[in-house]
Amino acid sequence: MVVCSVVVRRLLAAAPAAPRHVFTGLRWVTSTPVKFTDRKYTDKHEWVQVEGKIGTIGITHYAQDALGDVVYAQLPDPGQEFSQMDECGALESVKAASELYCPVSGKIVSKNTEVEDTPGLINKSCYEKGQLLLTAHS
Amino acid sequence: MTFWNQGKALGRWALRAFSSATRSSRSATPKTVFISQSDDIFANLALEDWLYRHHDFSQHRILLLWRNGPAVVVGRHQNPWKETHVGALHDKQVVLARRNSGGGAVYHDQGNLNLSFLTSREGYNRRTNLTVVANALRREFGLEATVNDRDDLVLNGNYKISGTAAKLGRPNAYHHCTLLADVDLDNMKGILNSDDCGIETKATDSVRSPVCNLSSMHPGLNVASLMGAVGREFLRSDDRGVDLGKSAISRQLGFTLVNPTDDWFPGLEKSRAELASWGWRFGRTPDFTVRREFAVPREMCVTEGAKLQVQMRVVKGRVASMSVTVPPGFVSNAPEGEVAVLSGLEGQKFSEEAVGLVEAAFAKKDKSDKKKRFVAECVRRVVQ
């Protein structure tokens, strides 16, 4: 649990809006089913916001800032299935391809094609227009 | 122990030895230089990937040195048909590969040295790595190289001698770069294409720069001497690229020859096969549209200056749709400017294979052999 608190402190220091719920990739903090929750964050700087069984996924402000200008977004196709923390895509910026990790297990419902057309949306609006994926989590 | 087994054991020891090595007082993570014994681009890319996925770099850094036979290597999100004449590579005995990192297209041959700096995500720093390379060139060859704002190494402020790309994951990352020691530059210029091929795509572009070989500035410099120079500089530098002196080399884990096979690295063959597959090299191309116009020979049409247009939508390297717009009078029993949609091509690979099908499809519309061959030739030029 010491490791957990270190990860939590690091995330809280990095994220602009302090998250109320944080998970370390091992388990959800809230165990009761909820209809709508705030964003949850991973230690790989993705976030997921859950509404019912559908999760919206993106990367954090810290991550987009560290990447620099995103020039290409490679997102998984609808129908593909991933386990939690599988590599599911990549974002390219300044000659570096950064892996995207799927923060929840499930099937991709849709990808944000606007971000594929205009990758800069990820830098400008990583929580709104620059969202990446919708998943139906298992 | 046979010589072969000794080599394998040494390789495995080198991978495990980091756990018992201690940090020096000046923050120099234990380091090893691996030299690949293969010149197969796919095996070397698979080796780099194996180390990235399986090795613990929290207390260890590896510089992997490798070189390949003639190859064009495109970045992860690039369009190979935009970067080179794909159809011509086979005759020139050049293979096409796609790497996992970003960036633009490069040409490899035996005169090019590849360097992969493998670290933890926290240890990733491109400029530090390039500074180490620049220091090696200065120390052993008296060459002054600088790192520009695109993280390219340039000689005398003008000529690019190295291109850089990177892959960032968690927990590991790597930065790899090329070094032009003694590359056939004429061959390279002929192969890396900058013609307008009518492709519209969101794929990442290459940025062209004037290049030169290091051997042109220092006669006698070759890949072997470069390997030694860069490897030694890597071993004597700390994590920030600061030189710790020659004696630091002996405190590190030295040079090791490695062989990228399943014997040495279990599971590597599967990765190699994936990297060599059509699906990875061409099927991973971002979707694109290609549109080209061709002047129609006077005897095949009724007006001067008539053009035939070929348009294709290509998804995952395969033809999703195609249309040929013909000038008035080109197709004998068709009204003016008919857009001939050639069905039966959907799902075909964007390659010479599609051309044969086009010929057959067009023959049904017009009996003229000449016109059929002309249309096929236009399509052939589009898919190359």
Side-chain angles (χ1 to χ4, degrees):
Chain A
M1 288 303 102
V2 170
V3 170
C4 260
S5 64
V6 165
V7 169
V8 167
R9 274 204 299 278
R10 204 185 315 146
L11 278 173
L12 289 175
R20 288 195 308 189
H21 303 282
V22 176
F23 76 98
T24 61
L26 297 175
R27 60 184 168 84
W28 296 95
V29 172
T30 51
S31 56
T32 52
V34 288
K35 277 206 106 163
F36 178 77
T37 62
D38 286 346
R39 271 178 237 123
K40 298 189 196 304
Y41 299 80
T42 73
D43 62 357
K44 290 176 170 49
H45 304 294
E46 288 91 13
W47 57 264
V48 57
Q49 192 165 22
V50 175
E51 196 166 339
K53 276 191 97 66
I54 300 293
T56 308
I57 292 168
I59 62 166
T60 64
H61 175 79
Y62 175 87
Q64 71 77 22
D65 191 54
L67 275 176
D69 291 337
V70 180
V71 298
Y72 192 87
Q74 182 234 312
L75 302 177
D77 288 327
Q80 282 188 272
E81 291 201 41
F82 296 98
S83 299
Q84 192 178 44
M85 300 330 260
D86 274 353
E87 285 178 13
C88 64
L91 300 177
E92 182 166 344
S93 64
V94 202
K95 308 197 246 189
S98 292
E99 295 296 343
L100 265 179
Y101 297 93
C102 202
V104 289
S105 300
K107 194 185 264 201
I108 305 294
V109 168
S110 68
K111 57 179 177 172
N112 185 353
T113 51
E114 272 190 52
V115 149
E116 285 184 322
D117 290 339
T118 315
L121 282 173
I122 298 172
N123 296 112
K124 291 199 193 84
S125 173
C126 57
Y127 297 111
E128 307 293 334
K129 289 195 162 192
Q131 298 171 355
L132 301 177
L133 302 164
L134 285 182
T135 59
H137 63 274
S138 38
Chain B
M1 249 191 181
T2 63
F3 177 76
W4 185 248
N5 286 332
Q6 273 178 341
K8 273 196 288 182
L10 194 59
R12 288 198 203 105
W13 168 83
L15 279 177
R16 285 197 295 267
F18 74 89
S19 61
S20 55
T22 53
R23 280 177 179 264
S24 83
S25 58
R26 280 208 257 173
S27 184
T29 310
K31 297 180 175 64
T32 313
V33 179
F34 275 11
I35 300 181
S36 171
Q37 295 297 279
S38 170
D39 67 359
D40 171 21
I41 175 72
F42 304 112
N44 286 325
L45 287 172
L47 171 60
E48 188 185 52
D49 192 63
W50 191 100
L51 292 169
Y52 161 80
R53 284 187 197 287
H54 295 108
H55 193 56
D56 179 354
F57 288 102
S58 56
Q59 298 292 328
H60 190 212
R61 293 183 179 208
I62 291 177
L63 169 60
L64 174 66
L65 300 174
W66 43 294
R67 60 170 152 174
N68 315 299
V72 171
V73 186
V74 299
R76 180 166 173 169
H77 303 125
Q78 286 207 296
N79 183 322
W81 291 282
K82 212 174 170 200
E83 303 300 325
T84 186
H85 289 291
V86 171
L89 291 181
H90 186 260
D91 286 343
K92 296 184 183 181
Q93 291 168 325
V94 176
V95 298
L96 185 118
R98 181 187 296 274
R99 55 180 190 270
N100 253 304
S101 56
V106 289
Y107 171 76
H108 290 185
D109 66 19
Q110 295 282 3
N112 173 72
L113 175 63
N114 297 300
L115 302 84
S116 301
F117 295 85
L118 295 131
T119 61
S120 65
R121 180 68 178 86
E122 287 71 33
Y124 168 82
N125 191 316
R126 296 207 289 233
R127 289 194 84 88
T128 300
N129 300 335
L130 293 168
T131 304
V132 167
V133 177
N135 290 345
L137 293 175
R138 184 182 314 111
R139 190 188 305 283
E140 296 214 18
F141 305 105
L143 295 170
E144 280 303 323
T146 49
V147 184
N148 73 6
D149 54 7
R150 292 198 74 247
D151 280 348
D152 293 331
L153 268 176
V154 288
L155 213 53
N156 303 337
N158 280 326
Y159 293 101
K160 183 171 155 178
I161 50 159
S162 167
T164 259
K167 172 153 165 161
L168 304 173
R170 288 199 179 270
N172 294 333
Y174 61 79
H175 156 227
H176 56 201
C177 58
T178 54
L179 262 184
L180 294 172
D182 189 17
V183 170
D184 185 342
L185 293 179
D186 289 332
N187 215 22
M188 179 173 92
K189 281 169 191 159
I191 281 172
L192 291 180
N193 177 31
S194 56
D195 298 343
D196 176 21
C197 40
I199 290 180
E200 287 168 27
T201 176
K202 293 181 197 58
T204 47
D205 270 329
S206 293
V207 174
R208 313 254 173 242
S209 315
V211 295
C212 80
N213 274 317
L214 288 166
S215 58
S216 67
M217 299 289 175
H218 192 284
L221 185 154
N222 55 28
V223 169
S225 57
L226 255 188
M227 278 189 184
V230 177
R232 281 187 289 276
E233 194 68 34
F234 174 72
L235 293 175
R236 66 188 278 172
S237 302
D238 74 3
D239 295 356
R240 288 165 301 138
V242 173
D243 180 36
L244 296 174
K246 197 169 175 185
S247 57
I249 296 178
S250 57
R251 292 197 294 275
Q252 287 299 337
L253 301 168
F255 288 73
T256 304
L257 305 178
V258 294
N259 222 335
T261 61
D262 264 351
D263 264 358
W264 288 59
F265 304 97
L268 187 141
E269 291 290 339
K270 187 173 168 203
S271 175
R272 187 209 169 276
E274 165 72 13
L275 287 160
S277 69
W278 185 93
W280 173 258
R281 294 183 299 136
F282 296 102
R284 292 296 290 239
T285 305
D287 302 347
F288 65 98
T289 301
V290 56
R291 202 175 284 119
R292 297 260 312 258
E293 271 189 350
F294 302 93
V296 179
R298 185 68 182 86
E299 67 268 20
M300 291 188 195
C301 55
V302 298
T303 49
E304 273 297 334
K307 297 261 197 310
L308 180 144
Q309 191 190 79
V310 178
Q311 179 167 316
M312 287 198 217
R313 177 85 187 139
V314 183
V315 171
K316 296 187 177 15
R318 293 181 184 271
V319 178
S321 67
M322 173 169 161
S323 64
V324 177
T325 307
V326 297
F330 186 82
V331 177
S332 50
N333 60 350
E336 300 175 3
E338 174 180 334
V339 176
V341 177
L342 300 163
S343 61
L345 270 145
E346 287 84 9
Q348 289 301 316
K349 289 180 183 172
F350 183 70
S351 67
E352 183 66 32
E353 291 170 25
V355 176
L357 291 168
V358 165
E359 255 184 304
F362 192 81
K364 293 182 193 151
K365 293 198 177 282
D366 191 291
K367 295 269 178 285
S368 155
D369 250 5
K370 255 191 184 171
K371 284 182 184 172
K372 178 183 83 177
R373 277 199 295 272
F374 174 70
V375 172
E377 189 52 38
C378 292
V379 173
R380 179 173 288 115
R381 282 163 65 182
V382 170
V383 301
Q384 284 185 348

